[in-house]
Structure formats: C-alpha cells, structure tokens
Amino acid sequence: MLILGIETSCDETAAAIVEDGVKVLSNVVVSQIDIFAEYGGVIPEVAARNHLEVMMPVVNKALSDAKKTWDEIDAIAVTHTPGLLGSLLIGTLTARTLAILHKKPLYAVHHLKSHIYANWLEKEEMPEFPLLSLVVSGGHTQILRMDAHESFEIIGTTRDDAVGECFDKVAKILGLPYPGGPAISKAGKTGDKNRYKLPKPNVEGLDFSFSGLKTAVLRSVQSELGLPISHPSYDLKNHLDSRQIADFSASFEKTAVDYLLEKLEKAYFLYPNTKSFVFAGGVSANELLRLSAKERFKNVFFPEIKYSGDNGAMVAAAAYFEIKNGVEPTNPYKLNIIPRSEIR
Ligand code: KG4
Ligand code: ZN
C-alpha cells in the first residue's frame, strides 16, 4: 500500500511516499529554518505564506523521487493537529483538494502520533507493546503509554513550556541561533556540564515543567555576569564570552536530558511490564539524549535523525497503521484544522 504523507504543522513543508508504513520511497522536506534563524523563532504568518509557495512542488517532487504516479497512490495522509493554524491550513487544504481530485481516501493524522510512528520507518526491529513513548518536540513534552496500535494514554505532560521550546529560548538568551536544540548541542560540545548548577523543576508525578529551567538559566547568566535580575535577557549575549556560552550550553543540556530521563524512569517504575522505550519529536535528535537513554534503558528506539524532525514519511506511516487498525478515512469536504487536540 502506497501512502502520500503531507506535513506542514510548523515551518517545514514536507511530503513523502511510504510503502506499507515502513519503507520510505521518497521524503522531501523544505525547511524555512534559514528564514527564521535571524528572528530566533517562527513567525506564523510568514511560515504559512512560504508553505503556500512550495507545497505543490514538494508534493510533485515526492511523487517523482519515488517514481510513482497518482494512479499508484492508495491514500493521502495529512497533519491536521496540533500546529500553527495558517501552516496547518495550507497542508490540509492541499490534501483535501488532492483527495477529491484524484479520488483517494484521506486520513487526518495527529502530529504527535506521526512523530511516534517515525520509529517504524526503515527499521530492522520494530518497537514492541506495551511501550512508553517520550514525545519531545518544540510544542510538546509528554510521556505516553501504548498497549497496542491506536491505544494512547498520556501519563505525563508539561505544565508550561515544551522542552524544545526551552532549548530555543535558552539559545536566544545565549545568543545562539534558532532552532536552539542543535545550536546548544554544538556549542556545548566543548563545554563543562558541571560548571553551572541548574535546579531541576520540582513537579510531582510524571508531569514536567520547563519554564522554571529557562528562568534558572536566565538568573544564572545574570549572576555570572554580575548584572541585576532586571537586566534584559536580549542584552545578556553581548556580555558572554565563548567559554561561558559553551559551559552554559553543556550545563543546560545535561540538566534537561537528565530531567527527561528521570521522569521516564519514574514511568517505568509504575509500568514495569514496558517492553520498549520509544523517543519521538525534534528533540529526539539530541545526541546526549540518545546516548544517555541507551545507558539507562533496554529496547530503546529513536527515529533515524532524518525522521526525527517534521517530515511527511512519519505522517504516512501513522496513517498506514490507522488503516490496518480499522480507522475510517476523513471526509475531505469536512476536514477541519484543530490547533490543539489529544491523540485520539
Ligand atoms: O518536532 P519538531 O521538528 O517540531 C515540532 O513539532 O515542534 O521539533 C522542533 C524542536 C525545536 O524546539 C528544536 O530546537 C528541537 O526540536 N531540536 C533539538 C535538536 N534538534 C531539534 N533539541 C535538542 N537537540 C537537538 N539536536
Ligand atoms: Zn513535530
């Protein structure tokens, strides 16, 4: 079964053709990172306009890279929630129109579910149920339990910022570019992870909080520089030297990764019959997270780096498992975008 997956929830315009949910025949991603790097974040209006410009060329390239024609495509899958409204609108309108035009069933897929299913792409071994999934992206930080395909239980979630958002905001304080995750990892490579003591947020149970950690970095930078807490965050980067930036990056990255894995360990304690640990979302590209997770847990799954960020292949994979498990297609005339919703 061949599925065309379309993803436009944030600042990547992406389309892919995937065979039987696991074999990627093409994967086209046009990123707007270069546009937003200088702003330190995504401007929704600008993102939507750029999606509009490249959407159809991206879909056509996915078909031609896979050497497939519309006749050979069995279904279309698209991200419909959560994400930026304008961005979601471009992807869903494109998918709806193509589904009507080419008479293909349409599947509206939850973005976080897609990130989880990136772990089924191009793998020799697949995750086994029951599994625990740590979903770490720019918009979400959650621990989910899955007993089977289509069975999702959110057992922990952030009460404020997402971990990716925290990486992005800390990068901004340190004068590093957007997206902050890769920039902090790179800057922290030569840094001393023990130089700055950053407190892990104290939230009971399996929930997370990241806004406190971001503020802890801010206060620690102000105090390191001998500046008052009223000193504006945007100016701090002008006073930091490269050693301080490296050490702050390494200290923050270690604290964030330890915190994530401590919560996952707590979840494992509550669900000891867990067979696999599945990492998902943009932050799952983080090298320290990958290494530390493999030290702490067995049967750890990470998506291939190219499928850890937003892409169309993971959307097609998630739709394939929906189809296999009896989920009905969506009416293309009625599909709505939803800014935020739980995985159904
Ligand atoms: O999943 P994603 O591509 O988009 C959302 O659905 O949000 O995640 C983007 C987030 C950004 O916050 C980015 O800084 C973070 O993933 N990220 C990383 C790394 N690569 C991307 N965070 C830490 N380490 C990385 N290597
Ligand atoms: Zn994402």
Side-chain angles (χ1 to χ4, degrees), residues 172-174 218-219 221-222 225 227-240:
K172 214 168 173 178
I173 295 171
L174 300 179
L218 175 64
R219 296 286 173 257
V221 173
Q222 286 162 332
L225 297 173
L227 295 165
I229 60 166
S230 57
H231 196 89
S233 61
Y234 62 80
D235 179 59
L236 295 170
K237 58 179 183 289
N238 302 322
H239 302 267
L240 287 165

PDB file of all heavy atoms in Angstrom, residues 172-174 218-219 221-222 225 227-240:
ATOM      1  N   LYS A 172      18.350  31.592  22.727  1.00  0.00           N
ATOM      2  CA  LYS A 172      18.169  33.029  22.483  1.00  0.00           C
ATOM      3  C   LYS A 172      18.908  33.842  23.550  1.00  0.00           C
ATOM      4  O   LYS A 172      19.572  34.837  23.236  1.00  0.00           O
ATOM      5  CB  LYS A 172      16.665  33.336  22.523  1.00  0.00           C
ATOM      6  CG  LYS A 172      16.266  34.417  21.579  1.00  0.00           C
ATOM      7  CD  LYS A 172      14.767  34.505  21.426  1.00  0.00           C
ATOM      8  CE  LYS A 172      14.413  35.714  20.592  1.00  0.00           C
ATOM      9  NZ  LYS A 172      13.003  35.863  20.353  1.00  0.00           N
ATOM     10  N   ILE A 173      18.788  33.410  24.810  1.00  0.00           N
ATOM     11  CA  ILE A 173      19.498  34.104  25.904  1.00  0.00           C
ATOM     12  C   ILE A 173      21.007  34.071  25.654  1.00  0.00           C
ATOM     13  O   ILE A 173      21.719  35.047  25.866  1.00  0.00           O
ATOM     14  CB  ILE A 173      19.171  33.441  27.274  1.00  0.00           C
ATOM     15  CG1 ILE A 173      17.691  33.605  27.610  1.00  0.00           C
ATOM     16  CG2 ILE A 173      20.068  34.005  28.389  1.00  0.00           C
ATOM     17  CD1 ILE A 173      17.238  32.803  28.828  1.00  0.00           C
ATOM     18  N   LEU A 174      21.499  32.909  25.160  1.00  0.00           N
ATOM     19  CA  LEU A 174      22.945  32.745  24.983  1.00  0.00           C
ATOM     20  C   LEU A 174      23.442  33.329  23.649  1.00  0.00           C
ATOM     21  O   LEU A 174      24.636  33.266  23.344  1.00  0.00           O
ATOM     22  CB  LEU A 174      23.325  31.256  25.056  1.00  0.00           C
ATOM     23  CG  LEU A 174      22.974  30.531  26.375  1.00  0.00           C
ATOM     24  CD1 LEU A 174      23.378  29.068  26.283  1.00  0.00           C
ATOM     25  CD2 LEU A 174      23.664  31.200  27.571  1.00  0.00           C
ATOM     26  N   LEU A 218      18.433  32.000  32.910  1.00  0.00           N
ATOM     27  CA  LEU A 218      18.456  33.466  32.833  1.00  0.00           C
ATOM     28  C   LEU A 218      19.098  34.068  34.094  1.00  0.00           C
ATOM     29  O   LEU A 218      20.013  34.895  34.017  1.00  0.00           O
ATOM     30  CB  LEU A 218      17.022  33.982  32.654  1.00  0.00           C
ATOM     31  CG  LEU A 218      16.802  35.479  32.667  1.00  0.00           C
ATOM     32  CD1 LEU A 218      17.498  36.135  31.480  1.00  0.00           C
ATOM     33  CD2 LEU A 218      15.310  35.806  32.630  1.00  0.00           C
ATOM     34  N   ARG A 219      18.633  33.608  35.263  1.00  0.00           N
ATOM     35  CA  ARG A 219      19.174  34.140  36.533  1.00  0.00           C
ATOM     36  C   ARG A 219      20.651  33.798  36.690  1.00  0.00           C
ATOM     37  O   ARG A 219      21.446  34.594  37.189  1.00  0.00           O
ATOM     38  CB  ARG A 219      18.391  33.556  37.724  1.00  0.00           C
ATOM     39  CG  ARG A 219      16.931  33.954  37.755  1.00  0.00           C
ATOM     40  CD  ARG A 219      16.724  35.417  38.182  1.00  0.00           C
ATOM     41  NE  ARG A 219      15.333  35.779  38.041  1.00  0.00           N
ATOM     42  CZ  ARG A 219      14.842  36.512  37.041  1.00  0.00           C
ATOM     43  NH1 ARG A 219      15.645  37.027  36.126  1.00  0.00           N
ATOM     44  NH2 ARG A 219      13.559  36.781  36.958  1.00  0.00           N
ATOM     45  N   VAL A 221      22.841  33.306  34.313  1.00  0.00           N
ATOM     46  CA  VAL A 221      23.645  34.133  33.409  1.00  0.00           C
ATOM     47  C   VAL A 221      23.802  35.536  34.008  1.00  0.00           C
ATOM     48  O   VAL A 221      24.910  36.094  34.059  1.00  0.00           O
ATOM     49  CB  VAL A 221      22.995  34.223  31.995  1.00  0.00           C
ATOM     50  CG1 VAL A 221      23.742  35.224  31.110  1.00  0.00           C
ATOM     51  CG2 VAL A 221      22.977  32.856  31.316  1.00  0.00           C
ATOM     52  N   GLN A 222      22.684  36.083  34.520  1.00  0.00           N
ATOM     53  CA  GLN A 222      22.756  37.428  35.120  1.00  0.00           C
ATOM     54  C   GLN A 222      23.736  37.442  36.283  1.00  0.00           C
ATOM     55  O   GLN A 222      24.559  38.349  36.424  1.00  0.00           O
ATOM     56  CB  GLN A 222      21.357  37.861  35.592  1.00  0.00           C
ATOM     57  CG  GLN A 222      20.438  38.239  34.442  1.00  0.00           C
ATOM     58  CD  GLN A 222      18.970  38.250  34.818  1.00  0.00           C
ATOM     59  OE1 GLN A 222      18.563  37.513  35.725  1.00  0.00           O
ATOM     60  NE2 GLN A 222      18.161  39.047  34.137  1.00  0.00           N
ATOM     61  N   LEU A 225      27.381  37.198  35.264  1.00  0.00           N
ATOM     62  CA  LEU A 225      27.879  38.448  34.687  1.00  0.00           C
ATOM     63  C   LEU A 225      27.860  39.601  35.691  1.00  0.00           C
ATOM     64  O   LEU A 225      28.285  40.712  35.385  1.00  0.00           O
ATOM     65  CB  LEU A 225      27.035  38.824  33.455  1.00  0.00           C
ATOM     66  CG  LEU A 225      27.091  37.840  32.272  1.00  0.00           C
ATOM     67  CD1 LEU A 225      26.095  38.237  31.192  1.00  0.00           C
ATOM     68  CD2 LEU A 225      28.495  37.769  31.684  1.00  0.00           C
ATOM     69  N   LEU A 227      25.196  41.062  36.826  1.00  0.00           N
ATOM     70  CA  LEU A 227      24.162  42.035  36.428  1.00  0.00           C
ATOM     71  C   LEU A 227      22.890  41.785  37.242  1.00  0.00           C
ATOM     72  O   LEU A 227      22.616  40.655  37.642  1.00  0.00           O
ATOM     73  CB  LEU A 227      23.864  41.883  34.932  1.00  0.00           C
ATOM     74  CG  LEU A 227      25.039  42.242  34.007  1.00  0.00           C
ATOM     75  CD1 LEU A 227      24.806  41.731  32.579  1.00  0.00           C
ATOM     76  CD2 LEU A 227      25.259  43.756  34.001  1.00  0.00           C
ATOM     77  N   PRO A 228      22.087  42.821  37.463  1.00  0.00           N
ATOM     78  CA  PRO A 228      20.864  42.627  38.263  1.00  0.00           C
ATOM     79  C   PRO A 228      19.815  41.796  37.525  1.00  0.00           C
ATOM     80  O   PRO A 228      19.870  41.687  36.301  1.00  0.00           O
ATOM     81  CB  PRO A 228      20.352  44.061  38.460  1.00  0.00           C
ATOM     82  CG  PRO A 228      20.899  44.816  37.305  1.00  0.00           C
ATOM     83  CD  PRO A 228      22.231  44.201  36.982  1.00  0.00           C
ATOM     84  N   ILE A 229      18.832  41.266  38.293  1.00  0.00           N
ATOM     85  CA  ILE A 229      17.827  40.409  37.653  1.00  0.00           C
ATOM     86  C   ILE A 229      16.887  41.209  36.744  1.00  0.00           C
ATOM     87  O   ILE A 229      16.128  40.632  35.982  1.00  0.00           O
ATOM     88  CB  ILE A 229      16.995  39.584  38.671  1.00  0.00           C
ATOM     89  CG1 ILE A 229      16.233  40.494  39.634  1.00  0.00           C
ATOM     90  CG2 ILE A 229      17.839  38.589  39.410  1.00  0.00           C
ATOM     91  CD1 ILE A 229      15.166  39.747  40.405  1.00  0.00           C
ATOM     92  N   SER A 230      16.983  42.516  36.810  1.00  0.00           N
ATOM     93  CA  SER A 230      16.160  43.334  35.914  1.00  0.00           C
ATOM     94  C   SER A 230      16.861  43.533  34.562  1.00  0.00           C
ATOM     95  O   SER A 230      16.275  44.075  33.618  1.00  0.00           O
ATOM     96  CB  SER A 230      15.886  44.694  36.566  1.00  0.00           C
ATOM     97  OG  SER A 230      17.117  45.308  36.865  1.00  0.00           O
ATOM     98  N   HIS A 231      18.108  43.075  34.447  1.00  0.00           N
ATOM     99  CA  HIS A 231      18.837  43.293  33.198  1.00  0.00           C
ATOM    100  C   HIS A 231      18.162  42.505  32.071  1.00  0.00           C
ATOM    101  O   HIS A 231      17.923  41.312  32.212  1.00  0.00           O
ATOM    102  CB  HIS A 231      20.297  42.856  33.342  1.00  0.00           C
ATOM    103  CG  HIS A 231      21.161  43.393  32.251  1.00  0.00           C
ATOM    104  ND1 HIS A 231      21.782  44.608  32.343  1.00  0.00           N
ATOM    105  CD2 HIS A 231      21.447  42.910  31.019  1.00  0.00           C
ATOM    106  CE1 HIS A 231      22.447  44.840  31.212  1.00  0.00           C
ATOM    107  NE2 HIS A 231      22.247  43.818  30.399  1.00  0.00           N
ATOM    108  N   PRO A 232      17.833  43.145  30.949  1.00  0.00           N
ATOM    109  CA  PRO A 232      17.045  42.448  29.912  1.00  0.00           C
ATOM    110  C   PRO A 232      17.762  41.250  29.298  1.00  0.00           C
ATOM    111  O   PRO A 232      18.963  41.315  29.036  1.00  0.00           O
ATOM    112  CB  PRO A 232      16.799  43.534  28.851  1.00  0.00           C
ATOM    113  CG  PRO A 232      17.790  44.596  29.113  1.00  0.00           C
ATOM    114  CD  PRO A 232      18.152  44.535  30.570  1.00  0.00           C
ATOM    115  N   SER A 233      16.985  40.182  29.074  1.00  0.00           N
ATOM    116  CA  SER A 233      17.574  38.931  28.591  1.00  0.00           C
ATOM    117  C   SER A 233      18.207  39.104  27.210  1.00  0.00           C
ATOM    118  O   SER A 233      19.224  38.489  26.914  1.00  0.00           O
ATOM    119  CB  SER A 233      16.518  37.828  28.566  1.00  0.00           C
ATOM    120  OG  SER A 233      15.471  38.196  27.696  1.00  0.00           O
ATOM    121  N   TYR A 234      17.625  39.984  26.361  1.00  0.00           N
ATOM    122  CA  TYR A 234      18.144  40.103  24.993  1.00  0.00           C
ATOM    123  C   TYR A 234      19.542  40.704  24.939  1.00  0.00           C
ATOM    124  O   TYR A 234      20.263  40.567  23.947  1.00  0.00           O
ATOM    125  CB  TYR A 234      17.176  40.907  24.098  1.00  0.00           C
ATOM    126  CG  TYR A 234      16.963  42.342  24.542  1.00  0.00           C
ATOM    127  CD1 TYR A 234      17.900  43.331  24.240  1.00  0.00           C
ATOM    128  CD2 TYR A 234      15.838  42.697  25.267  1.00  0.00           C
ATOM    129  CE1 TYR A 234      17.719  44.632  24.665  1.00  0.00           C
ATOM    130  CE2 TYR A 234      15.643  44.001  25.696  1.00  0.00           C
ATOM    131  CZ  TYR A 234      16.588  44.971  25.388  1.00  0.00           C
ATOM    132  OH  TYR A 234      16.412  46.260  25.807  1.00  0.00           O
ATOM    133  N   ASP A 235      19.930  41.376  26.036  1.00  0.00           N
ATOM    134  CA  ASP A 235      21.248  42.040  26.022  1.00  0.00           C
ATOM    135  C   ASP A 235      22.358  41.155  26.601  1.00  0.00           C
ATOM    136  O   ASP A 235      23.539  41.423  26.423  1.00  0.00           O
ATOM    137  CB  ASP A 235      21.151  43.348  26.826  1.00  0.00           C
ATOM    138  CG  ASP A 235      22.487  44.076  26.863  1.00  0.00           C
ATOM    139  OD1 ASP A 235      22.999  44.406  25.770  1.00  0.00           O
ATOM    140  OD2 ASP A 235      23.037  44.261  27.961  1.00  0.00           O
ATOM    141  N   LEU A 236      21.974  40.075  27.304  1.00  0.00           N
ATOM    142  CA  LEU A 236      22.976  39.282  28.024  1.00  0.00           C
ATOM    143  C   LEU A 236      24.029  38.697  27.085  1.00  0.00           C
ATOM    144  O   LEU A 236      25.211  38.618  27.425  1.00  0.00           O
ATOM    145  CB  LEU A 236      22.285  38.158  28.811  1.00  0.00           C
ATOM    146  CG  LEU A 236      21.371  38.654  29.937  1.00  0.00           C
ATOM    147  CD1 LEU A 236      20.554  37.505  30.501  1.00  0.00           C
ATOM    148  CD2 LEU A 236      22.193  39.321  31.043  1.00  0.00           C
ATOM    149  N   LYS A 237      23.584  38.286  25.897  1.00  0.00           N
ATOM    150  CA  LYS A 237      24.506  37.638  24.947  1.00  0.00           C
ATOM    151  C   LYS A 237      25.709  38.542  24.605  1.00  0.00           C
ATOM    152  O   LYS A 237      26.785  38.062  24.299  1.00  0.00           O
ATOM    153  CB  LYS A 237      23.761  37.234  23.679  1.00  0.00           C
ATOM    154  CG  LYS A 237      23.083  38.366  22.953  1.00  0.00           C
ATOM    155  CD  LYS A 237      22.392  37.843  21.701  1.00  0.00           C
ATOM    156  CE  LYS A 237      21.752  38.951  20.893  1.00  0.00           C
ATOM    157  NZ  LYS A 237      20.548  39.519  21.561  1.00  0.00           N
ATOM    158  N   ASN A 238      25.492  39.843  24.691  1.00  0.00           N
ATOM    159  CA  ASN A 238      26.580  40.775  24.345  1.00  0.00           C
ATOM    160  C   ASN A 238      27.692  40.793  25.403  1.00  0.00           C
ATOM    161  O   ASN A 238      28.758  41.344  25.172  1.00  0.00           O
ATOM    162  CB  ASN A 238      26.019  42.196  24.171  1.00  0.00           C
ATOM    163  CG  ASN A 238      24.940  42.237  23.110  1.00  0.00           C
ATOM    164  OD1 ASN A 238      25.060  41.546  22.104  1.00  0.00           O
ATOM    165  ND2 ASN A 238      23.887  43.017  23.339  1.00  0.00           N
ATOM    166  N   HIS A 239      27.412  40.207  26.575  1.00  0.00           N
ATOM    167  CA  HIS A 239      28.409  40.211  27.656  1.00  0.00           C
ATOM    168  C   HIS A 239      29.068  38.849  27.851  1.00  0.00           C
ATOM    169  O   HIS A 239      30.008  38.724  28.624  1.00  0.00           O
ATOM    170  CB  HIS A 239      27.742  40.628  28.979  1.00  0.00           C
ATOM    171  CG  HIS A 239      27.085  41.974  28.909  1.00  0.00           C
ATOM    172  ND1 HIS A 239      27.734  43.129  29.274  1.00  0.00           N
ATOM    173  CD2 HIS A 239      25.857  42.351  28.484  1.00  0.00           C
ATOM    174  CE1 HIS A 239      26.917  44.163  29.087  1.00  0.00           C
ATOM    175  NE2 HIS A 239      25.763  43.708  28.614  1.00  0.00           N
ATOM    176  N   LEU A 240      28.535  37.811  27.211  1.00  0.00           N
ATOM    177  CA  LEU A 240      29.045  36.451  27.438  1.00  0.00           C
ATOM    178  C   LEU A 240      30.251  36.161  26.542  1.00  0.00           C
ATOM    179  O   LEU A 240      30.246  36.517  25.360  1.00  0.00           O
ATOM    180  CB  LEU A 240      27.952  35.428  27.124  1.00  0.00           C
ATOM    181  CG  LEU A 240      26.798  35.314  28.125  1.00  0.00           C
ATOM    182  CD1 LEU A 240      25.636  34.531  27.491  1.00  0.00           C
ATOM    183  CD2 LEU A 240      27.258  34.640  29.409  1.00  0.00           C
TER     184      LEU A 240
END
